Amino acid sequence: MKLSKLTLATLTSIAALSTTVQAADKVFVGHLADMSGPTAFVGKEYANGIRDALTYINKNGGIKGTGLEFETIDYAYKVPQAIASYKKWKTRKKMVAMQGWGTADTEALISFVARDKIPVFSASYSGHLTDPQGKNPHTKKPAPYNFFYGASYSDSCRALAQWASKDWKAKGGQGKPKFTHIGANHPFPNAPKKACAEYAKELGFDVQPPVVISMKPGDFKAQCLSLKSSGTNYGYIGNLGGSVMSLVKSCNTVGTDVQFMSNIWGGDRKIFEATGSGIKNYIFPTMTPFWDSKAQGMALVKAISKMSDVSGEKQRPHHYIRGICSTYYMKEAMEWAKDNGGITGANVKKGMYARKDWVPSGLEGVCLPATWSADDHRGIAEVNIYKGNYNKGDVSIEQVDTVSLERRPDWLGY
């Protein structure tokens, strides 16, 4: 497939270099986004956070005077288009880093980016991306140039299992609670499935066979009846957007009484508002505060938001804020690289190891402290857990737990 056809098919291709940075030099950052595919419900929000952050960085001096050239390509969640875009950027643009998106495409690119020494900061939090040296036998591929901001999908699911275990005991539950993974047969929802099931068993859960639902909205009454007949107490949802809404509505229709818990993309105010009265005590993790937070770093977040919303009135979801965190970790690694031999992919990677318990300047209280090392890319092992409810047109979200996970060696790359 020729690239020209690819670009037309992806609907949007945006190249930008701010004229505010009058730099003699510039570096290129590729940006893959899903703006029209099955994960666009949240993909658009995350992508906007990255684009606004890159624009803001350029308008405020770039990387110590070096400008950022960037291009956003909507690859519509299609792996071949992601690979073709990567190859174009690598050969024609001399890309030094990339902001990525999905699990299937990020995992497909692991060997490419390792060979080419191009760090990728993805929105996939697959545990498979966390073992840079391939230490563990279950690691699919060593991923020395893959980074992401936040706890892995596996660790987030483990944290939810910890919460569920405490919740079961607090409610006076008798015997083993039943746990079921719910999601499409796809790399994204499957990423934590085995790892989380094993840990749930460690915690005393009776793990049921997974229930498969499409990534697209649909009628999931049959799957909900399966959950009901199995007696599932806690269901982990690996999907997002319209699929989550359909599941909750279908289960309410057939009277399935399950405590739903979701991955980080499956819970936000927008989903709750769209689903309506079916949202009750819905549990989900986050890695940033919400838009109405008074955290110190929210001042910078809101300044960045004005790059595409001059009025400053738009309420951004936590996915948008994570996009900013991802971009600013990359920014500061680039600054370190510039001071230590130049902004190359290999030096940016080294910059990711230069600090411990690290929060980007200006984002205090927004981005969680992170530490990456040459033998462990699990940057964050802390998971904030929230509960969402919908009542007569109002959405309420409250924090119910913070779980700090150990970095167990057997969990690396898993």
Side-chain angles (χ1 to χ4, degrees), residues 165 168 175-178 198-207:
S165 178
W168 179 253
K176 286 187 174 184
K178 294 183 177 181
E198 289 180 0
Y199 186 58
K201 286 181 181 177
E202 279 189 36
L203 294 176
F205 284 88
D206 182 2
V207 177

Side-chain angles (χ1 to χ4, degrees), residues 367-405:
C367 309
L368 293 172
T371 301
W372 291 272
S373 67
D375 59 0
D376 192 337
H377 281 193
R378 291 176 291 186
I380 291 172
E382 182 174 292
V383 181
N384 294 317
I385 299 176
Y386 284 77
K387 177 169 66 179
N389 276 287
Y390 182 94
N391 183 31
K392 298 179 180 179
D394 293 326
V395 171
S396 63
I397 296 174
E398 61 176 312
Q399 186 168 358
V400 294
D401 204 356
T402 295
V403 176
S404 295
L405 292 155

Side-chain angles (χ1 to χ4, degrees), residues 263-327:
N263 73 89
I264 198 165
W265 300 103
D268 58 53
R269 185 174 296 274
K270 187 178 176 183
I271 287 177
F272 300 157
E273 289 173 345
T275 306
S277 58
I279 292 296
K280 183 179 179 182
N281 298 329
Y282 184 97
I283 301 297
F284 65 104
T286 74
M287 296 295 155
T288 65
F290 296 94
W291 193 252
D292 58 359
S293 168
K294 303 300 182 185
Q296 178 183 342
M298 286 303 295
L300 176 54
V301 170
K302 293 185 177 180
I304 291 169
S305 178
K306 288 183 178 180
M307 295 298 97
S308 61
D309 175 38
V310 177
S311 70
E313 295 178 358
K314 187 173 288 188
Q315 300 284 308
R316 309 284 193 175
H318 61 108
H319 314 304
Y320 176 93
I321 301 173
R322 286 204 311 285
I324 292 174
C325 288
S326 176
T327 306

Side-chain angles (χ1 to χ4, degrees), residues 121 149 324-334 348 351-352 357-360 363 367-372 380:
F121 301 81
Y149 165 72
I324 292 174
C325 288
S326 176
T327 306
Y328 266 70
Y329 278 107
M330 179 189 74
K331 168 187 179 285
E332 293 200 352
M334 285 180 162
V348 172
M352 293 297 293
D357 296 325
W358 163 28
V359 175
L363 291 170
C367 309
L368 293 172
T371 301
W372 291 272
I380 291 172

Side-chain angles (χ1 to χ4, degrees), residues 29 54 71 73 122 132 160 180 222 315 330 356 363 367 372 390:
V29 175
L54 291 169
E71 182 179 34
I73 289 182
S122 71
L160 292 170
T180 302
Q315 300 284 308
M330 179 189 74
K356 295 182 178 180
L363 291 170
C367 309
W372 291 272
Y390 182 94

Side-chain angles (χ1 to χ4, degrees), residues 139-174:
T139 297
K140 292 183 178 180
K141 293 180 182 179
Y145 276 81
N146 288 92
F147 300 90
F148 55 78
Y149 165 72
S152 72
Y153 293 139
S154 298
D155 277 348
S156 288
C157 189
R158 291 174 179 123
L160 292 170
Q162 278 196 28
W163 173 85
S165 178
K166 290 185 284 187
D167 181 68
W168 179 253
K169 293 170 184 174
K171 290 176 178 175
Q174 300 298 310

